[in-house]
Amino acid sequence: MSSSSGVSEGVVQRGKLLVHVAENGRSFELNCDECTLVESVQRYLEMLSGIQLNDQLLLYLDMKLEPQQPLSAYKLPLEDREVFLYNKSRMRSNSTPPQPEEIESLESINPDPPLPSSSNDPHPLDDASDPALKVLPLYERQFRYHCQLADAIYQRTLLKLEMCERLSREQRVQEKALEIARGNLDHIYKMILRNYSDFVKRYSHQQRSHSNLLVNFWRDLERLRSVKLIPALQSDNRKCLSDFVKEENLRKMVEDCSNSHRQFESKVEDFKEEFKELKGSTEHLFSSEASINNKVFERTIKEHRQYIDDQKSIMQALSKDISMVKKLMDDCLTSQPSNSLRPHDAVSALGPMYEGHDKNYLPKLQACEGAISNLLMFCKDKKSEMIGFVHGYMQKIAYIQYTIRDVRYKFSVFNEAINRQNDQFEQLKVVRGIGPAYRACLAEIVRRKASMKLYMGMAGQLAEKLASKRESEVRKREEFIKVHSLYIPHDILSLMGLYDTPSVCDVNVAPFDSNLLDLDIPDLDRFAPERNNESEDIIELGDIVGTNKLEVENAKLKAELASVTARLCFSPLEIEFEYFDEGKMDILLKEGAEKTNEALRLKDEYVKQLESVLNDKQLQCGSYEKRIEELERRLSDQYSLEHKIDKDDSFTTGKVGDSKSETSSERDVQGHSGQFSEPMDDALYGYNSLVTKSGVDKTSKILDDNMTDSSGMANPNPNLDSSMREPSRDVNEKDENEETVPDVGMQNILEEKSNQLIELEAKLEAAKVEVATLARDLEISRNLLDESQVNCVHLEKCLHEARKEARTHLCAANSKASDYNKLRGSTLKIRSLFERLKSSVSSADVSSFADSLQSLSQSLTNSVNDGGDDGTAEFRECVHMLAKKVGILARHRAELVDRYTKAEAAQQQLTKELDESKALVNTLYLKHQSEKQANKEKISIGRLELHEIAAFVLNAAGYYTAINRNCSHYYLSPESAALYADSVPHNPTCIVGQIVHIERQTVKPSPPVQTDHNGGSSQSGLISGPTDANPYGLAVGCEFFVVTVAMLPDTAVHTPPPPAAAS
């Protein structure tokens, strides 16, 4: 891979890239570096997997590997990162499915060994004279064959198990490949689903607005016809709002829009059906899974590894047996037999071992191989099934991705169609918006006029404030000059510039908005009635004049009201035509509700403030009226008193009695004057305090001047008082001395008093005029207050709709909150029930578990009876059923425990009996062994078998015949006879030995022979005597048995007595 990757010579990071083929689950590990191009990797994979370069699709996580990019662009290679290879040619709908999994035959790789043969594998013991030693090579060859056969079976079984594990790994790789492909499809599907949701919301909003435009178009046009233009705006061609558009063009446009709307609606419905099918197929694909679970698969393979362990143990036993046979043969070859086991005993023990190999070990090995073979066939079938499933699954994914790509293209087409629909309906929106726009323009006129007056009022307030500041500064300078001019010459102060005064500030505002129509708030509903509020009451607002605080505030409220009216004209259109997502709409509704609540709170506070100000004004007006009435009454009393004094002066004489009366009258007048001056000061002080509270500077200044005049009026001439007191003392003195006062002095005093009264009358008239002026100012303030209240009422009406909408949203929110509270309550109840269930389950042990559940079920049933149905009946029913089932299981458990106790007691009894039986069996076994040993030492006279003892006698023909009652054709082999003959000096008459081999033969016909009788005469005939083909002289076709025996230890050989010597 490194030679074909074309890497640079620099120091680069190298590593192994693990690539899995999704088609069959094969894996390839490539040595490459970070500079290797993906295209080089694909070319190398083409040689390994056979997938063409153009048909390869490499995926790493959710990224597609581009051929032109190096591996470093994807942070590859890394040890723990995997890349999956997909065959795009297999994803086509008309592609042929891949071939099912094929498994090569293992019998050709590890065949069974050939059968053993003495000719192919000779051994020195094959020519041994002892039959037992001669049999040892046969057993060794058989045991070696068994071991080789077991090894071949084991190797085949091991290869089959490895193939099963490989198939399992490949299936696991295929599952991962399906997960990667499913994750990639899920990512694309979520994106397209989100786009579809946004498209449906946008289309639904547009469809509702356009349908509304089409349904209400003629009503909107009729409403435009009914609204006449202001006379100043009318012309020959324009009398009403419908003249702004051409109705002839509108009719054709409405028809075109209606047709386009229907066609687009039908296409969107078809698109929705197509997307519904796509959604159904995608969800069905996500829910489909392979029929085999790989975890179960791996667990099954793990369980089958026990067969390998069994085969290993069998092979160890076979190896041990062959090692023993080889050792025995080596001992026999070296003539060093073991003291504990002689060759004949070993030969007699090899027979059962051979039978154990042939009947137990080898069949068990073959059974293990068969189980693994069945598992391999099962894995092969499941792998073939997985290959087909992956092929079909990837074809479905490819089809869904193609459909998603087609739907994505349609999204752009439909979005463009939505934009064209909006452009086509734009003229209809213009018809809908003419009325609100016309009303908004009139409201803007009112707003601009109110803003202009507000602007000018604020300028007037600024001028008044600056003038008061200037007067304050002038007064401070005059006081300074008055104090310091006593010490500093005037020319020095002049040279210092301390005689300068502040300039008068003249605030001038150039006129603007002179071309605005003469409109006010009531004219809006008269010239441009609102579409949804045609019966609203008309609000009368007076003109704004003056620059005081209330007037400026009124102008500000009027401008805000006009601005809100202009804004509200287009709010329904914006909501109707503009699309807002749910999050933005919720935010707008929340902000609107908060602003509405804040406005209502401010309105309530302002109303309370106005009510308090109105109450204060009413109290002030009441106090003004009382003071005025009191002043009028006192002035009337003083005026009548003055006329009375004038009448008394005209009839005065020089008599002392008259002077006394006059003096008393003067005292009365002085007393009345003192009584009058003090209440006047109190009244004027009340005026001053009330006007000061109202905050009007101009009125405060006037009342301050009036207070100065009134104080002067209360004590206009202090010398007058003293002169009046001096005559009083003179009158008293003269009264004491009984002297009279001249009439001339009294007349002068009366004239001066009359002049003072006239001046007092003039000042009272001026005070009346000032009070009237204050009353008029109060009336103006009251009118402004009424206008403010009217503005507040209108503002409340304007906010009423917002409050109603906010209340609607609040009701919806309360409903959702109540639903949430119900759901939360139900959830809390369910959780509390689960907590109770958990506590009862965790606190109780196994024995009291059923009782705990039963008590919980009973308590839940009682709570249902007490509290009624609270939405948890299903849970209670489940707990009740669980308690019932657990109770049944508890009873079964108790029964099983009881049965277990009884069974344990019975087992103990059986164990005791078994021990007794074992003792008895051991006794019987020992007896049997002793009997068997005795039987072994007995001579068999029935059918001869291996390892039995047989007795042979020498017959007349010179052969040893077995003593047998069933069959007399058992003959001792010549080798055994020669073995016994070598051990004694003469041929024994009887031989006893252990049978080690029995050879079955059949007598065959002999060829004709020539014999001579009686001196050379010849005769041809068949001889029935002993021959090589018939050594024992038996009939043709007769069966006989040649028996090879081994010598028994400590066995005496019976020999005939030696012949007697001839005398």
Side-chain angles (χ1 to χ4, degrees), residues 794-923:
H794 182 69
L795 180 61
E796 184 177 358
K797 288 183 179 179
C798 291
L799 294 177
H800 180 68
E801 293 183 0
R803 178 188 288 177
K804 185 183 295 182
E805 186 176 359
R807 189 176 296 121
T808 302
H809 291 295
L810 181 61
C811 292
N814 291 334
S815 177
K816 291 183 179 180
S818 62
D819 295 340
Y820 170 75
N821 291 331
K822 291 180 181 178
L823 181 61
R824 184 173 181 273
S826 178
T827 305
L828 291 176
K829 291 179 181 178
I830 292 293
R831 183 176 179 181
S832 64
L833 293 177
F834 271 109
E835 290 295 334
R836 293 177 61 185
L837 177 61
K838 181 180 177 182
S839 61
S840 24
V841 169
S842 59
S843 61
D845 53 0
V846 178
S847 60
S848 61
F849 180 67
D851 298 335
S852 177
L853 274 181
Q854 188 65 31
S855 63
L856 176 61
S857 174
Q858 187 64 32
S859 64
L860 292 179
T861 305
N862 296 334
S863 64
V864 170
N865 296 331
D866 297 338
D869 189 10
D870 54 355
T872 58
E874 186 175 356
F875 177 80
R876 292 190 175 92
E877 184 66 23
C878 292
V879 172
H880 180 68
M881 294 298 297
L882 179 62
K884 186 175 180 181
K885 297 292 184 182
V886 171
I888 295 173
L889 292 176
R891 289 194 296 272
H892 288 176
R893 179 180 177 277
E895 294 176 359
L896 290 176
V897 169
D898 187 22
R899 292 170 61 184
Y900 172 75
T901 305
K902 295 179 179 178
E904 189 175 10
Q907 183 182 5
Q908 292 177 356
Q909 183 67 25
L910 290 176
T911 303
K912 184 177 180 181
E913 294 177 359
L914 181 61
D915 294 338
E916 295 176 356
S917 300
K918 281 183 179 179
L920 181 61
V921 167
N922 291 332
T923 304

Side-chain angles (χ1 to χ4, degrees), residues 447 555-565:
R447 189 195 68 80
K556 182 179 179 181
L557 290 175
K558 191 171 184 180
E560 290 180 356
L561 177 60
S563 177
V564 171
T565 303

Side-chain angles (χ1 to χ4, degrees), residues 124 217 235 280 285 425 430 527 531 541 601 683 700 766 770-771 787 805 840 871 882 934 943 947 982 1041 1056:
F217 174 75
S235 63
L285 180 66
F425 277 77
V430 169
F527 293 112
R531 181 175 60 178
L541 293 178
R601 185 184 63 79
S700 176
E770 187 64 29
V771 169
E787 290 179 3
E805 186 176 359
S840 24
L882 179 62
R943 182 177 179 84
H947 311 302
D982 293 340
F1041 302 91

Side-chain angles (χ1 to χ4, degrees), residues 432-449:
R432 174 67 62 84
I434 288 176
Y438 181 67
R439 180 179 174 86
C441 291
L442 298 184
E444 179 66 15
I445 292 174
V446 176
R447 189 195 68 80
R448 291 189 181 186
K449 291 183 66 177

